[in-house]
Amino acid sequence: MSFASLVSLPQRSSWTVCGEVREVLFWPCTGIRPRAVLLMIPGNPGLIDFYIDFCNELHAKFKKDLDIIGTSHLGHTLFSDNRGQQYRSTKTYGLEDQVTNTLAMFDIIDQTYDTEERPRMLLCGHSIGSYMAQRIIAVRTDRVARVFSLFPTVDKIADTPRGRQLRILFWPGVRQVVAGIIDVLRWLLPTSTIVRLASLSKSLGDTNTRVVVDKMLHGSCVNSVLTMAADEMRRIVDLDEELYASTGGKFVMYYGTDDMWVPEDRYERMRAVNTQGVVRLCSGGISHAFVTAHSAEMACIVIDMLTDELAAEIEDS
């Protein structure tokens, strides 16, 4: 038995990217070198801890061939840095800040594997993470082999049932008030009480509820989450048809039914626009927020996608 086999996964670390400190989780391959590297880009809220069960399933299947790297969005979470110190940025980050820094992180990862036998670079984006992956492949087309877009919010987010329901939370002033209330509650109430209150929603499950309370329910984090969401409503309007016309063959896209963030007409439109790629509609009742209850089911679907991708890598080598 090697020492490496005793190390619990995922490995946790912090990276400094363009002066910003990011939370990073890493599932290293056990082979001599990875055949592919998968960058997991979360939705909003962007806590990579939500995706641990999902990525654990992927790693268990492909641990000899695949490196998996996941990152939280800037400002969305409290985490331990490489010195073991609790880190929480007090800055507020919008959508463009997140896209620019995630692209820089992709470049760092890509350059780290700068060898003669470079692995395939894969992106897996969930919800708004799919939009961020879309932005990355637009400028790194030659380096991204495949994008797996899960419940992609890439088209008119504000004009959706959930976007209309929640829009008041994204207004200037309102989001600062919400963030302030969170800080007051943390000052007044013990954490155990906040956990019980958060559990009343019954939508996250015990583990994710604790993650939210411990890592995200802080005023500055909530403000960044809502600021990013406000940018999403304002900026993501028209589908980038030119991108899908030129690089659509690199996309594998998975849409849900009864998705309040991505109505089924968006699936129909993407099928019409992206005729080169794979555009699928869920038949198993998996929800948009699959990390709350359907991580294993979603992982099985992505495992099938990755099996095809890694088989293609063998054929090309």
Side-chain angles (χ1 to χ4, degrees):
M1 179 180 294
S2 67
F3 175 77
S5 66
L6 301 177
V7 177
S8 62
L9 297 177
Q11 297 175 9
R12 292 181 177 271
S13 64
S14 62
W15 293 13
T16 301
V17 179
C18 299
E20 302 290 352
V21 182
R22 302 192 67 123
E23 180 182 36
V24 177
L25 302 186
F26 181 42
W27 291 259
C29 82
T30 59
I32 297 174
R33 70 172 184 90
R35 299 218 316 261
V37 179
L38 178 74
L39 176 59
M40 181 72 224
I41 309 174
N44 186 9
L47 281 68
I48 193 59
D49 285 74
F50 288 162
Y51 300 82
I52 288 177
D53 290 346
F54 171 72
C55 290
N56 279 343
E57 295 284 339
L58 303 186
H59 181 260
K61 179 66 176 180
F62 301 109
K63 60 185 175 182
K64 291 184 178 180
D65 301 307
L66 183 68
D67 275 353
I68 303 173
I69 301 169
T71 181
S72 295
H73 294 324
L74 295 173
H76 284 210
T77 179
L78 171 73
F79 60 94
S80 295
D81 64 17
N82 291 336
R83 299 170 300 170
Q85 301 294 316
Q86 292 292 295
Y87 181 84
R88 173 166 59 98
S89 177
T90 57
K91 296 181 183 178
T92 301
Y93 301 90
L95 179 59
E96 286 304 305
D97 299 322
Q98 305 289 357
V99 170
T100 300
N101 201 265
T102 304
L103 171 61
M105 183 177 178
F106 172 85
D107 287 340
I108 290 171
I109 296 169
D110 187 32
Q111 292 160 16
T112 299
Y113 294 95
D114 190 11
T115 63
E116 290 185 4
E117 298 182 33
R118 299 177 79 176
R120 283 178 179 257
M121 299 299 294
L122 313 175
L123 301 175
C124 183
H126 172 221
S127 193
I128 191 61
S130 299
Y131 171 80
M132 296 170 71
Q134 172 185 294
R135 293 281 300 275
I136 291 173
I137 195 174
V139 294
R140 298 292 184 270
T141 308
D142 59 330
R143 287 302 306 138
V144 177
R146 191 76 62 211
V147 177
F148 303 102
S149 296
L150 311 179
F151 308 94
T153 51
V154 295
D155 184 12
K156 295 182 175 65
I157 304 180
D159 187 23
T160 62
R162 193 70 78 208
R164 289 188 289 269
Q165 285 175 0
L166 299 180
R167 61 185 174 186
I168 189 172
L169 286 176
F170 311 139
W171 291 354
V174 174
R175 54 182 184 257
Q176 285 83 5
V177 169
V178 172
I181 291 172
I182 295 297
D183 278 338
V184 170
L185 289 176
R186 292 203 75 99
W187 182 70
L188 290 174
L189 302 176
T191 300
S192 58
T193 300
I194 297 174
V195 170
R196 285 197 294 271
L197 291 172
S199 299
L200 294 176
S201 71
K202 301 185 184 302
S203 61
L204 292 174
D206 293 341
T207 300
N208 283 336
T209 296
R210 189 74 205 204
V211 167
V212 167
V213 172
D214 290 345
K215 304 192 69 172
M216 193 201 82
L217 279 186
H218 304 272
S220 62
C221 296
V222 170
N223 194 26
S224 278
V225 167
L226 295 178
T227 297
M228 180 176 171
D231 281 352
E232 294 167 27
M233 302 302 116
R234 185 173 65 254
R235 292 176 179 271
I236 302 177
V237 179
D238 296 322
L239 184 64
D240 192 345
E241 296 186 13
E242 290 185 7
L243 175 71
Y244 289 102
S246 61
T247 63
K250 292 191 173 188
F251 285 83
V252 179
M253 313 189 78
Y254 195 84
Y255 286 78
T257 55
D258 300 319
D259 189 334
M260 301 287 278
W261 280 115
V262 191
E264 202 166 320
D265 68 301
R266 309 301 159 87
Y267 158 74
E268 297 293 348
R269 185 179 181 197
M270 184 60 76
R271 281 188 64 198
V273 169
N274 185 6
T275 57
Q276 304 175 57
V278 176
V279 184
R280 294 175 55 185
L281 185 66
C282 177
S283 60
I286 298 175
S287 64
H288 182 95
F290 71 86
V291 293
T292 62
H294 300 106
S295 289
E297 293 89 337
M298 194 71 246
C300 287
I301 293 167
V302 176
I303 283 170
D304 287 343
M305 300 174 182
L306 283 169
T307 299
D308 294 341
E309 183 62 30
L310 292 175
E313 195 275 342
I314 293 174
E315 293 174 2
D316 292 345
S317 61

